[in-house]
Amino acid sequence: MLSRFVCFVAICGTLARASTGTSYSFKTQGQCSTAWGSGGTVPMSLPTSTTISTVSSVLTGEAVTVPSTAKVTTDVVTTTVLTQTSWTWTVSTVTVPTTTVWQGAQSTVATASWPTTICTNDVTPSTVTEYSGSYTPISGQVTTAPASYPSQVVCRTGVTWFTYLVPTTTSGVTTVTVTPTSTVIAPTTTTTVTASYYTSTKFETTVTSVTTSYRVATSIVTASTACEASTTTTFAAKCAPTNVIAGIGEFGLVSGKYADNITVIYIPDERFNDPGVCCQLCQDNDGCVGMMAGISGFCGLYYVGSPDGGPACDFGFTYQTQSNVFPGQGLWVQSGCGEIEYSGSDGV
């Protein structure tokens, strides 16, 4: 047996094998810039244009020489286990004086409705909007169209793929000795261990408590009529395009804190994605404390639930400025029957 093994070593020692290992990684580098525009209308959401370019790079490492391996197996080593362990599992009980079972309840604060008109004579009327009443801007409110504004974010991203080649040559012989083991269990001594299996909880009394969530119902008021070529609609002065609050100073708006018991309904009709139209919808719905619109187009009407049921025309929410938001490209907000408050910069 020994002579055969020596022969094997002699033969293997004269052989050499070569191979190449391959691994991959990539690196991404990007840079964005902001394009500015003038005139026209400030886009409510800032579109982003992204260009991606990809290149490949192959890197070859220095050749590595590693020895081949010969495995030698020796006789089996036997181990005898003379001690065994017996486990006893117990169940313990913890008593808690009181537990609370929570039950959910829903309260409908109000019903938000919005009109839709079906023209029976295939006329698509043009609408002229007039404004009634007066409005006093809050301190620092942006009320004029900016001379220039961010119009697009242009991003360029480069991706480099790296292929690493590691050539390897096998030569020489390394002997590895393997010793098999066998375990024989022949206990002469037993040790008993007591452990806790699990702990159960027992409640002496149970109290039921109700948590209330608030919601707003919705209703679409549909009218079918022969339409005139043009119509005139009247909005509150606070809902004029320059009066809906979209910026303070040189910065745009983000949300702040909300009142307790507040709930919001988002209007799915795209006609109300216009902040001025959304603002007027809040004025037309009893109990709407304020509205929030903007950022890619949405219209949210906010309501605060009264402890006695129904809506409460109280404080609704705060809003803040953020340094990386341009006026008109963040939130648009305005009060309804309640109050909304500017709370300053959010520190960003």
Side-chain angles (χ1 to χ4, degrees), residues 322-339:
Q322 186 168 294
S323 61
N324 59 356
V325 179
F326 191 81
Q329 294 179 339
L331 296 177
W332 294 61
V333 300
Q334 190 53 276
S335 62
C337 69
E339 297 178 0

Side-chain angles (χ1 to χ4, degrees), residues 77-98:
V77 175
T78 302
T79 302
T80 302
V81 177
L82 300 176
T83 302
Q84 71 176 359
T85 302
S86 175
W87 291 85
T88 301
W89 300 98
T90 62
V91 177
S92 59
T93 302
V94 175
T95 301
V96 178
T98 304

Side-chain angles (χ1 to χ4, degrees), residues 44-45 244-247 253-255 258 264-267 270-282 290-302 317 319 325 328-335 340:
M44 292 178 62
S45 60
V244 181
I245 306 170
L253 306 181
V254 294
S255 60
Y258 296 88
V264 59
I265 181 69
Y266 294 102
I267 306 302
E270 292 184 359
R271 292 176 302 157
F272 298 94
N273 290 349
D274 181 327
V277 180
C278 180
C279 171
Q280 185 59 41
L281 186 61
C282 181
M291 54 73 62
M292 193 178 292
I295 308 179
S296 300
F298 72 90
C299 173
L301 306 183
Y302 286 80
F317 56 84
Y319 55 94
V325 179
Q329 294 179 339
L331 296 177
W332 294 61
V333 300
Q334 190 53 276
S335 62
I340 61 174

Side-chain angles (χ1 to χ4, degrees), residues 3-164:
S3 63
R4 290 163 56 188
F5 175 70
V6 172
C7 179
F8 172 76
V9 171
I11 294 173
C12 290
T14 62
L15 298 177
R17 292 178 298 165
S19 63
T20 302
T22 306
S23 62
Y24 304 93
S25 69
F26 67 91
K27 181 179 181 181
T28 301
Q29 292 180 309
Q31 185 176 10
C32 296
S33 61
T34 301
W36 287 70
S38 61
T41 303
V42 178
M44 292 178 62
S45 60
L46 198 55
T48 300
S49 171
T50 302
T51 302
I52 299 177
S53 60
T54 303
V55 297
S56 298
S57 178
V58 179
L59 304 176
T60 302
E62 295 183 0
V64 177
T65 301
V66 297
S68 60
T69 302
K71 184 170 70 174
V72 177
T73 303
T74 64
D75 294 335
V76 176
V77 175
T78 302
T79 302
T80 302
V81 177
L82 300 176
T83 302
Q84 71 176 359
T85 302
S86 175
W87 291 85
T88 301
W89 300 98
T90 62
V91 177
S92 59
T93 302
V94 175
T95 301
V96 178
T98 304
T99 184
T100 302
V101 176
W102 293 91
Q103 293 183 349
Q106 279 197 343
S107 174
T108 300
V109 177
T111 298
S113 62
W114 61 94
T116 182
T117 300
I118 299 176
C119 294
T120 58
N121 54 351
D122 295 328
V123 171
T124 302
S126 60
T127 302
V128 177
T129 303
E130 298 178 346
Y131 299 92
S132 64
S134 60
Y135 173 74
T136 302
I138 67 170
S139 177
Q141 179 179 344
V142 177
T143 58
T144 58
S148 61
Y149 48 83
S151 59
Q152 186 181 36
V153 175
V154 180
C155 295
R156 296 177 177 85
T157 301
V159 180
T160 303
W161 279 95
F162 296 96
T163 302
Y164 299 93

Side-chain angles (χ1 to χ4, degrees), residues 168-242:
T168 302
T169 302
T170 303
S171 65
V173 176
T174 296
T175 302
V176 177
T177 301
V178 179
T179 303
T181 60
S182 173
T183 302
V184 176
I185 301 177
T188 58
T189 303
T190 301
T191 302
T192 302
V193 177
T194 301
S196 176
Y197 180 59
Y198 68 88
T199 301
S200 65
T201 303
K202 176 183 178 182
F203 303 105
E204 291 185 345
T205 58
T206 300
V207 175
T208 300
S209 183
V210 177
T211 178
T212 302
S213 60
Y214 296 87
R215 62 180 294 271
V216 178
T218 60
S219 173
I220 302 175
V221 181
T222 303
S224 297
T225 184
C227 297
E228 301 291 338
S230 63
T231 61
T232 300
T233 184
T234 302
F235 283 5
K238 64 168 64 177
C239 297
T242 56

